[in-house]
Each structure stands twice: as structure tokens, then as C-alpha cells.
Amino acid sequence: MEQFSPTLPLLSDEELDPRARAVFDDIRATRNTDFINNFWRALAHDPANLERTWGELKEIMGPGTALDPLVKELIYVAVSTVNNCTYCVRSHTAAARGKGATDEQIAELHGIVAAANKTNRLAIGLQVPVDDAFL
Amino acid sequence: MEQFSPTLPLLSDEELDPRARAVFDDIRATRNTDFINNFWRALAHDPANLERTWGELKEIMGPGTALDPLVKELIYVAVSTVNNCTYCVRSHTAAARGKGATDEQIAELHGIVAAANKTNRLAIGLQVPVDDAFL
Amino acid sequence: MEQFSPTLPLLSDEELDPRARAVFDDIRATRNTDFINNFWRALAHDPANLERTWGELKEIMGPGTALDPLVKELIYVAVSTVNNCTYCVRSHTAAARGKGATDEQIAELHGIVAAANKTNRLAIGLQVPVDDAFL
Amino acid sequence: MEQFSPTLPLLSDEELDPRARAVFDDIRATRNTDFINNFWRALAHDPANLERTWGELKEIMGPGTALDPLVKELIYVAVSTVNNCTYCVRSHTAAARGKGATDEQIAELHGIVAAANKTNRLAIGLQVPVDDAFL
Amino acid sequence: MEQFSPTLPLLSDEELDPRARAVFDDIRATRNTDFINNFWRALAHDPANLERTWGELKEIMGPGTALDPLVKELIYVAVSTVNNCTYCVRSHTAAARGKGATDEQIAELHGIVAAANKTNRLAIGLQVPVDDAFL
Amino acid sequence: MEQFSPTLPLLSDEELDPRARAVFDDIRATRNTDFINNFWRALAHDPANLERTWGELKEIMGPGTALDPLVKELIYVAVSTVNNCTYCVRSHTAAARGKGATDEQIAELHGIVAAANKTNRLAIGLQVPVDDAFL
């Protein structure tokens, strides 16, 4: 499907400055694939932000943390859904599948996201005071 | 801390109509505690909504599903954070702790929620087109 | 309950410049009360914005339009709930009551707002394509 | 217009399990039409959520409540606009037209939604304390 | 790229009522161009809202204010990004470029918007109390 | 004013691990003050996130960039307002004042944020297609 062009053009490998190229190299090595998705190509106009953002995701989304990598991807999909970010829902749903998420888990996730959005608005609209037990 | 009164007054057990009372009985039995938090007392003005909402949460948040109950609480906390619902952040953080969440997991969760909010806005602001690989 | 001070101090009647005073006079005449709520006192630092905002609300929220004044207040409460604006939920719920809203209608409104937030996230998360019938 | 595929494929009538089929039968009978819109076809992967969600909408959006059915659809459109849910804006605008909404009412609705979003941000940004009169 | 039709049809110059025509004349004179973008053509169904909205933007977005016109456009892009309004991101990014914004500034803007979204959620999720120094 | 306790307790200087202590030292040196605001004390439970977040803000919010430091603080306030983050509105409004923002500029900023929220919802609700001129 044809889509809008991005705000700043996606940079090809040939157009990268050395700092951005080093990040792309690390993305390829970390993920063990030659594929670089559009998000990083749009971000490459600002190598400092590219470095920071990739560094942050690499640090928090991989193994060896208190939360399981799949759980972290599911949380990412949940936030992206609430923020209505199509790119993010698609890319992190793909990542969640790559980490083993089943269709049933994805469907269940959206049931929880939906219920939370519902009860969030009830608590806000009814102006429910926080119980002492939760403080 | 003194808080605002709710939009509709919190109902005491004595003020419930029979349909709302039956829901409260089921909450108590399911959770094995006499404590009913304010959310349900505010919702009790609309017994049909109380029934639906409790029925939904009971069905989706317990054990026996494709996602682990703690994972589901963490997703709930993530959504509540994005929606900025203080009541919901507090009550579901308490619930997550009750299901075994550690301080480290809670801190890590918020690191992921924060990163997702960051990259969501980059994808939106830079208008990044979705890669074919994600469709 | 003690609250935070506003970003810019609330202006008393004595501190108003002539343009702001004229708006306050019109609010008092239109509403037939001497009471000016804090929102307008905070806005009075920027008389042009005060004029525009009061003028807009006066024009759209009163009688003589395609939608009934109570319906319009309920829509205002719904939007304020989604945006999680405590001030706005409180002041427009009060306004809705002043225009005849019952507790039952207010409870029902929040049931609808909650359900809409739920199905909104399902449509977004599941990336449901729009049916031709709706275009 | 060509659109993205959904996260989970839309289920045809032939692919439904018996629980989902029963919900589709009830949607058709309630609405007196054979047409089932994509939202329900995407949700049908999770029959329990399909049942809950349809049951909720059927219960709250029809006649016989404290708020008029058209008013409830307008509130639905308002919430969907704030949440930026294209699917929901389109489907509930169509539903509102089906319940008698005129172009003038739809235009007016969006004027109110816009004004509410404006004043919501002023109240939040200026950190206006809630008046005692509203508590 | 083919797009969805709007909720209400875009009005051509020939379909305008006199009040809307006067606004279009003023837009053309103020901007010194014959081009009227779709936003105004959609809004023209409600001439009162068209007048108010154009009047507001004309008053606040031009020169002679405490903030520089380019700064104001950048703020507009930032808000539009958080609200995920594609139309608004595109049109105000174009306006910002027209007022001299460079690619570097646009990239930097989105780095700040992203960081703010990140720290906003941390402050909310961790429920950080406001320091006395900020009150 | 008494506030809620945070989700995780604010750490005193004595409770910091060495990595967090180094960040606090850098905050103090960079800002030339001994004061550490609550945000960093809440974040200090996760030294990696503390390092990343402080590093990011230090890099993007200071001088020597394409956008002026005051402009960047105003953008931060604007985003915080849309996200309804009280902590962030207060702390970044204070920072903006520290960088020279006047009351008039702050009032004007909120007029723009409000107008942008208004027109964002109009563009979304009326489903205005993007003009070719903006692509």
C-alpha cells in the first residue's frame, strides 16, 4: 500500500554519516539481520538521537532483566496502542511474534488494554478518590 | 491525605440495591477479603455497569489464560500510566505487588513505558511509513 | 481541600485591565450571577485569549443551536473525562446538573465514555480497516 | 481505498466458532441487517471478548435509557475524536446519521469537541485550582 | 496517495455562503496566496466556527507577539505530534519550513518532544510529588 | 500541600548506589546547585535509566543546538500540558522562567497549545484529507 512520505526523507546506507553508520552496524550485529526498518532510517538525520534511542532500546529490551523479553514487547504494544501509533503497533507486534507471542496472547493483550482504558475513564469521570490501602 | 469527593457519592454496603450487593458479594468471595475498594463503590450507582465491569475484570485478569496474571497486571499499570489515571496506577500497582511484582520489575516497567512513549512520538512526528515487513 | 497554586496567579476584580473587566461583566450578565469561576481569573492575564474563549463558549454552549444545551454539556464532560482534566470534569458536571442532568444520566454518560474508550483501543490495537459502508 | 490488513485476520462467517456465531446471529437480529462490520470480524478471534463487548454495546446504546440513543451516539463520536480512532469516528458518525443526526448537528458537535479540548488544555496548563463551588 | 473522504464534504469556492466567503477572502489576503487548504474547506460548513477559528489563528500565530512566529509554529507541531494528528503535523511542519525552520531544527524538535513524552510518563508512573521549589 | 507518596520511595543521597551518586554529582555540577529535584530521586532506583535519562536531557536541553534553550523549554511545557503531567508542567515552567520566560510568554504559550488542541480535534473529527501541497 502506498503511504505518505516521512517528514524527513529516509536515509539509505550510502547517505549515513559515520556516527549513524556505526549505529546501523550495531543494529545489524545485535539483531543478526541485514534489515534496518524505516524508523532508524528516519532517525538517522539526528545521529545523537539515533545513538541514544538505539542504545536505550538495546539496553532495556533484551534478555537478562527482571522482566522477560516477551513481556516487555507486550508492554510496548500496549503503550503503542494507547498512543495510537500505527507504526509502533505494527513493528512491536511483529517483534512480539518474533519472540514467541501467539495469536491468542495478542488477542488477550488487546482485551486487557481495552478493559484498562475503560476502567481508567470510569475512575477519572467518577473522580474516585484513592483508597488509603493503595497509598 | 484529604481528597476531592467523587462525582457521585461512594455507596456504603447499606445503600446498595440487590443487584449491586450480589456483585459486592462476588468480589469479596473471589478476592477472599472483606475489603471493597472505592472504584466499585462509585460504580454501584449503575448496577448494570457494575456487573459488566466486574464480570469483565474477573474473566480476563485471573489465572487460566494465555498470559500470566502478573503480566496482565503489568500491562494494566502500563496503560493506566499512559492515560494518567492516578487511581488506576495506584490500585493496579498494588495488585501487581500482590501478585509478586518486585520493585525492580516496577522500575523496569516504567523504563519501558517511557521508552515506548518516546519512540511512539518519534514515529508519529517523523511520519515514518510502515515497512512492508510489518504488514 | 488545599490545592496547588496556579501557574499564573488568579486575578481579583481589582487587578483586571479594562478589556478583561468587560469580559467579566459579560459573564456576570449572561449567567445572571456575580460568581466568576477560577478558570476565567487565570485566563485574565491574556485579555485577548479571555475574550476569544468566553466569546466562543457563549456562542456555542447556549440555546438556539442544533443540539440541546444539556446535550452539549454532556459532550463537554465526555471530552474532559477522556482528557483527564479534573477542573473541567468538575465544572462541566456542575453545569450539566444546572441544566437538569440527573445522577442517572451522569452515571450512564460515564458508562458510554468508558465503552467508547474500550472499543476505540480495540479498533486501534487490532488495526481494523474501515468498512466501505462507512466511507 | 486500499488499507492495511488488521493485526489478526478478519474472520468470515465460515471461520467462526459456535460462540462467535451466536453473537453474529444476535447482531444481525438486533440490527435487522445481514451486514456485520469489520470490528466484530476482528474481535471474533476472542469469542469471550466478542460476547462481552457486543453485550455491553447492546445494553447501553439502545433505547429505554436515561439518555436518548442519538445523544449517546454523539457522545461516542466525541470520545472517538479525542482518541483519534478513525475507524470509530467513521462507524459511529454513520450510526449517528442512521439515528437522525444532521450535517448541522455533526458540525456543531465538532465545534464543541474542539472548544472543550481547547479549554481543557488551558485549565491544565494554567493549573487552575477547582473552585469550592464545584466540589 | 488516495485518502478517505472527509466526514463532511470539502466545500468549493462556489458552495460557500457569504460569511464563509468573507473568511476565505481574508485568508487569501492575509497569506497573500490563492491557495486555501482543505482544513478550511471542511470547516466552512459551520461559518461561525470557521470565523472563530481563523480569527483565533490569525490573531495568535502572526508577528507582533511575545513569542517569535517560528517558535509558535514549532509549538504547534509539538502539540500536533503528541495528539497524533497527521493533517496537523504535515500542515504545520510545512508552515514552519515556510517561516525558516531547517531540517536540523525539525529533527531536534522531535528529539525534545520524544524526551518530554518519556519523562512525562516516568513522572506519572512513579507518581513523583511536586517539589516545593516548583510551587 | 500534602501530596501522595511516590510509587517507589524518593532516595536520599545516603541511599544512592555509586552509579546513581555519579549522576547526582553531574546534575549538581551541570546546574551549579546542590538541589536535586524529586524526579531524579524517584528514578534513582534504576541507575541505568537515571543515567540514560539525565544524559539525554543534558545533551538536548542545553546551549549549542539549532534551537534556543528557552524555545526548547517552552516546547517541553507544551508537551507536558498535552500529556497532563502536573509534575512536568510545574518543573519545566520553573525551568523556563529560569531561562528568562516572562508571564506574557507563558500565557501566550498556553493560548497556542489550546488553539492547537482545538484545531487538531477539528482535523481529526472532520477527517480532513492532507492537501498534496503538504506532502
Side-chain angles (χ1 to χ4, degrees):
Chain A
M1 182 195 168
E2 195 192 355
Q3 297 184 68
F4 290 158
S5 58
T7 308
L8 300 172
L10 303 178
L11 295 185
S12 69
D13 285 13
E14 291 67 35
E15 295 168 302
L16 301 175
D17 87 353
R19 238 172 124 186
R21 180 178 303 276
V23 174
F24 276 37
D25 287 347
D26 192 43
I27 295 175
R28 287 182 162 119
T30 304
R31 294 182 164 174
N32 199 25
T33 170
D34 198 54
F35 174 63
I36 300 280
N37 51 306
N38 289 341
F39 179 76
W40 306 110
R41 295 190 181 283
L43 213 55
H45 288 271
D46 183 347
N49 196 6
L50 177 67
E51 267 179 9
R52 282 193 312 265
T53 305
W54 166 247
E56 183 167 11
L57 290 199
K58 185 182 175 186
E59 188 172 348
I60 65 176
M61 295 304 285
T65 57
L67 297 171
D68 179 76
L70 173 54
V71 170
K72 294 190 288 190
E73 281 295 349
L74 296 175
I75 291 170
Y76 223 109
V77 172
V79 172
S80 302
T81 299
V82 185
N83 282 335
N84 200 354
C85 175
T86 297
Y87 186 88
C88 316
V89 169
R90 307 300 304 212
S91 57
H92 287 279
T93 300
R97 288 189 197 277
K99 290 176 180 171
T102 63
D103 279 5
E104 194 182 356
Q105 287 177 318
I106 291 171
E108 202 168 292
L109 164 77
H110 289 299
I112 295 162
V113 171
N117 273 288
K118 176 181 165 179
T119 59
N120 283 191
R121 301 317 176 188
L122 286 169
I124 291 167
L126 296 173
Q127 300 267 296
V128 184
V130 183
D131 302 72
D132 288 339
F134 299 144
L135 292 176
Chain B
M1 182 192 166
E2 194 191 358
Q3 299 183 69
F4 290 159
S5 59
T7 309
L8 300 173
L10 302 178
L11 295 185
S12 68
D13 286 12
E14 291 67 35
E15 296 168 303
L16 301 175
D17 84 359
R19 237 171 125 187
R21 181 179 301 275
V23 174
F24 275 36
D25 287 346
D26 192 43
I27 295 176
R28 287 182 163 118
T30 304
R31 295 181 164 174
N32 199 24
T33 171
D34 199 54
F35 174 61
I36 299 279
N37 52 306
N38 289 342
F39 179 76
W40 306 110
R41 296 191 180 282
L43 213 55
H45 289 272
D46 183 348
N49 196 7
L50 177 66
E51 268 181 8
R52 281 194 314 266
T53 304
W54 166 247
E56 181 166 13
L57 290 199
K58 185 182 176 186
E59 187 172 350
I60 65 176
M61 294 305 285
T65 56
L67 298 171
D68 179 77
L70 173 55
V71 170
K72 294 189 288 189
E73 280 296 347
L74 295 175
I75 291 169
Y76 223 108
V77 172
V79 172
S80 302
T81 298
V82 186
N83 282 335
N84 200 355
C85 175
T86 297
Y87 187 89
C88 316
V89 169
R90 306 303 300 215
S91 58
H92 287 279
T93 299
R97 287 190 198 275
K99 291 177 179 170
T102 63
D103 279 5
E104 193 182 358
Q105 287 177 318
I106 290 170
E108 202 167 294
L109 163 78
H110 288 299
I112 294 162
V113 171
N117 273 286
K118 176 182 166 178
T119 58
N120 283 190
R121 301 318 176 189
L122 286 169
I124 291 167
L126 297 173
Q127 300 265 296
V128 184
V130 182
D131 302 73
D132 289 340
F134 299 144
L135 292 175
Chain C
M1 182 194 166
E2 195 191 356
Q3 299 183 67
F4 290 158
S5 58
T7 309
L8 300 172
L10 303 178
L11 295 185
S12 69
D13 285 13
E14 291 67 35
E15 297 169 303
L16 301 175
D17 84 358
R19 236 172 126 186
R21 180 178 301 276
V23 174
F24 275 37
D25 288 346
D26 192 42
I27 295 175
R28 287 183 161 116
T30 303
R31 294 181 165 175
N32 200 24
T33 170
D34 199 53
F35 175 63
I36 300 279
N37 53 306
N38 289 343
F39 179 76
W40 306 111
R41 295 191 181 281
L43 214 52
H45 289 271
D46 183 349
N49 196 8
L50 177 66
E51 268 181 8
R52 281 194 312 265
T53 304
W54 166 247
E56 182 166 10
L57 289 199
K58 185 183 176 185
E59 187 172 350
I60 65 176
M61 294 306 286
T65 57
L67 297 171
D68 179 75
L70 173 55
V71 169
K72 293 189 289 189
E73 281 295 350
L74 294 175
I75 292 169
Y76 224 108
V77 172
V79 172
S80 302
T81 299
V82 185
N83 282 335
N84 199 354
C85 176
T86 298
Y87 187 89
C88 316
V89 169
R90 307 303 299 214
S91 58
H92 288 279
T93 299
R97 289 190 197 275
K99 291 178 180 169
T102 63
D103 280 5
E104 192 182 357
Q105 287 176 318
I106 290 170
E108 201 168 293
L109 164 76
H110 289 299
I112 294 162
V113 170
N117 273 286
K118 177 182 165 178
T119 59
N120 282 191
R121 299 317 176 186
L122 286 170
I124 291 168
L126 296 172
Q127 300 268 295
V128 185
V130 183
D131 301 75
D132 289 339
F134 299 145
L135 292 177
Chain D
M1 181 193 167
E2 195 192 354
Q3 297 184 70
F4 289 158
S5 58
T7 308
L8 299 173
L10 304 177
L11 295 185
S12 67
D13 285 13
E14 290 68 33
E15 296 167 303
L16 301 175
D17 86 354
R19 240 171 122 186
R21 181 178 301 276
V23 175
F24 276 36
D25 287 347
D26 192 43
I27 295 175
R28 286 183 163 117
T30 303
R31 294 182 165 174
N32 199 23
T33 169
D34 198 53
F35 175 62
I36 299 281
N37 52 306
N38 289 342
F39 179 76
W40 306 110
R41 295 189 181 283
L43 214 53
H45 288 272
D46 183 348
N49 196 7
L50 176 66
E51 269 180 8
R52 283 194 311 266
T53 305
W54 166 247
E56 183 166 12
L57 290 199
K58 185 182 175 186
E59 187 171 350
I60 65 177
M61 294 305 286
T65 57
L67 298 170
D68 179 75
L70 173 55
V71 170
K72 295 190 288 189
E73 281 296 347
L74 295 175
I75 291 169
Y76 224 108
V77 172
V79 172
S80 302
T81 298
V82 185
N83 282 335
N84 198 357
C85 175
T86 298
Y87 187 89
C88 317
V89 170
R90 308 300 305 211
S91 58
H92 287 279
T93 300
R97 289 189 197 277
K99 290 177 180 169
T102 63
D103 279 4
E104 193 183 357
Q105 287 176 318
I106 290 170
E108 203 168 292
L109 164 76
H110 289 299
I112 294 161
V113 171
N117 273 287
K118 177 182 165 178
T119 60
N120 282 191
R121 299 316 175 189
L122 287 168
I124 291 168
L126 296 172
Q127 299 266 296
V128 184
V130 182
D131 302 74
D132 289 339
F134 299 145
L135 291 176
Chain E
M1 183 194 165
E2 195 193 355
Q3 297 183 70
F4 290 158
S5 58
T7 309
L8 300 173
L10 303 178
L11 294 186
S12 68
D13 285 13
E14 290 68 33
E15 296 168 303
L16 302 174
D17 84 357
R19 235 170 127 186
R21 180 178 302 275
V23 175
F24 275 35
D25 287 347
D26 192 43
I27 295 174
R28 286 183 164 116
T30 303
R31 294 182 166 175
N32 199 24
T33 170
D34 198 54
F35 174 63
I36 299 279
N37 51 306
N38 289 341
F39 179 76
W40 306 110
R41 296 191 181 282
L43 215 53
H45 288 272
D46 182 348
N49 196 8
L50 176 66
E51 268 180 9
R52 282 195 311 266
T53 305
W54 166 247
E56 182 167 13
L57 289 199
K58 186 182 176 186
E59 188 172 349
I60 65 176
M61 295 305 286
T65 57
L67 297 171
D68 179 77
L70 174 54
V71 170
K72 295 189 287 191
E73 281 294 350
L74 295 175
I75 291 169
Y76 224 109
V77 172
V79 172
S80 302
T81 299
V82 186
N83 283 333
N84 200 354
C85 176
T86 298
Y87 187 89
C88 316
V89 169
R90 308 301 301 213
S91 57
H92 287 279
T93 299
R97 287 188 198 277
K99 290 177 180 170
T102 63
D103 278 6
E104 194 182 357
Q105 288 176 318
I106 290 171
E108 203 168 292
L109 163 77
H110 289 299
I112 294 161
V113 171
N117 273 288
K118 177 182 166 179
T119 59
N120 282 190
R121 300 317 176 187
L122 287 168
I124 291 167
L126 296 173
Q127 300 268 298
V128 184
V130 182
D131 301 75
D132 289 340
F134 300 145
L135 291 176
Chain F
M1 182 196 167
E2 195 191 357
Q3 299 184 66
F4 289 158
S5 59
T7 308
L8 300 173
L10 303 178
L11 295 185
S12 68
D13 285 14
E14 291 66 36
E15 296 168 303
L16 301 175
D17 87 355
R19 239 171 125 184
R21 182 178 301 276
V23 174
F24 275 36
D25 287 345
D26 192 43
I27 295 174
R28 287 183 163 115
T30 303
R31 294 181 165 175
N32 200 24
T33 170
D34 199 52
F35 174 62
I36 300 279
N37 52 306
N38 289 341
F39 179 76
W40 306 111
R41 295 191 182 282
L43 214 53
H45 289 272
D46 182 348
N49 195 8
L50 177 66
E51 269 181 7
R52 280 194 314 264
T53 304
W54 166 248
E56 182 166 12
L57 289 199
K58 186 183 176 184
E59 188 171 350
I60 65 176
M61 294 305 285
T65 57
L67 298 170
D68 180 76
L70 173 55
V71 169
K72 293 189 290 189
E73 281 294 349
L74 296 175
I75 292 169
Y76 224 108
V77 173
V79 172
S80 302
T81 300
V82 184
N83 283 334
N84 200 355
C85 176
T86 298
Y87 187 90
C88 316
V89 169
R90 308 302 299 214
S91 59
H92 287 279
T93 299
R97 288 190 199 275
K99 291 177 179 170
T102 63
D103 279 6
E104 192 183 357
Q105 287 176 318
I106 290 170
E108 202 168 293
L109 165 75
H110 289 300
I112 294 162
V113 170
N117 273 286
K118 176 182 167 179
T119 59
N120 283 190
R121 300 316 177 190
L122 286 169
I124 291 167
L126 296 173
Q127 300 267 295
V128 184
V130 182
D131 301 74
D132 288 340
F134 298 144
L135 292 176

